[in-house]
Amino acid sequence: MELIYPINFVGHDEWMYSGYDPRLSQGEVISRDGEIIGAWRVVGYDPDDEYSTGQFEFMAIGEDTVKFTEGFSMLDVRMSRGFALSTLTRTIREWYEANNTEIS
């Protein structure tokens, strides 16, 4: 996987293209320079309902609790799900850069 973004959700596209298979609803979060900074997952959604609500969650590496969340109102509507992912990505990036001042 080419790490083209400051924050990359490994496996997200595979989950999306699978029809939101719950077995693929998680993966690593990696910085552009290849550092694994945590994990992502999607919870609370029904893969058989394109209008299902759900939530993205982020757990920082080495932590057992969810650090950041972002809900969406419609699973298969890019504007809803995509906006939630974009918001979560921005939150993670701000947190990551604040804790790694040499990269900001």
Side-chain angles (χ1 to χ4, degrees), residues 39-87:
W40 68 273
R41 67 183 177 195
V42 185
V43 298
Y45 74 98
D46 177 354
D48 298 321
D49 179 3
E50 64 187 286
Y51 299 108
S52 174
T53 62
Q55 178 170 284
F56 285 102
E57 295 182 340
F58 169 75
M59 291 166 293
I61 195 97
E63 295 183 13
D64 295 330
T65 59
V66 174
K67 187 163 202 71
F68 303 117
T69 65
E70 191 64 41
F72 54 85
S73 58
M74 291 179 276
L75 179 63
D76 203 26
V77 175
R78 187 170 188 86
M79 189 175 226
S80 176
R81 186 183 29 74
F83 183 74
L85 184 62
S86 176
T87 301

